[in-house]
Amino acid sequence: GVLFGTACVYLVFLLTKALLKNDLTALIASFLFSLEGLSFALSRIGMNDIYFLFFLLGTLLFFLKDKFLWSALFLGIAIATKWTSFFILPILFILWFLYKRNIRFSYLYFLFVPVLVYFFSYTIFFTTGHTIS
């Protein structure tokens, strides 16, 4: 968890730099994030919230860099970690239209890849006799 918490600080830096195109602002944002108590506590306790945060930050970063396959992959891992990851989908759609992206077939990544990653992550669960119901 500590490694993922540390990586979240770096992801906040990269995400702020991608959004605002300013190194100093990105450095200040990542510094403030590193001092923030909740992310520090999540990194130190044995819950999966820091992994959820890491993969959602990665989803946003890859989405802004037009790497939709990686973004969808990170979204699938985030959903497998915690179902509240679904709430990022409206944000992604708003960002999609805000940045005037061409609606090619890259949105299909977000329809199929997260579902496949989710079910693949629970393969052991399903192979031991459990079902979705």
Side-chain angles (χ1 to χ4, degrees), residues 11-110:
L11 283 176
V12 166
F13 175 80
L14 293 176
L15 192 59
T16 308
K17 189 174 175 181
L19 285 171
L20 302 176
K21 312 275 191 278
N22 188 340
D23 289 340
L24 181 62
T25 307
L27 188 63
I28 291 170
S30 60
F31 175 71
L32 291 175
F33 181 79
S34 69
L35 294 179
E36 200 269 322
L38 181 63
S39 62
F40 180 74
L42 290 176
S43 298
R44 302 296 298 156
I45 60 176
M47 296 179 67
N48 65 348
D49 293 46
I50 198 66
Y51 310 113
F52 156 74
L53 178 63
F54 172 80
F55 289 115
L56 277 187
L57 288 173
T59 299
L60 283 173
L61 181 65
F62 286 127
F63 185 84
L64 289 174
K65 292 187 178 268
D66 293 333
K67 297 181 179 180
F68 299 118
L69 179 62
W70 283 101
S71 180
L73 182 69
F74 268 59
L75 179 62
I77 298 170
I79 291 170
T81 304
K82 206 165 192 173
W83 282 1
T84 53
S85 303
F86 279 115
F87 292 116
I88 200 170
L89 289 175
I91 295 169
L92 293 178
F93 287 122
I94 290 170
L95 283 175
W96 198 300
F97 292 111
L98 197 69
Y99 282 92
K100 296 180 178 95
R101 301 190 190 280
N102 296 349
I103 300 183
R104 300 180 306 260
F105 289 107
S106 53
Y107 68 90
L108 292 175
Y109 288 134
F110 294 99

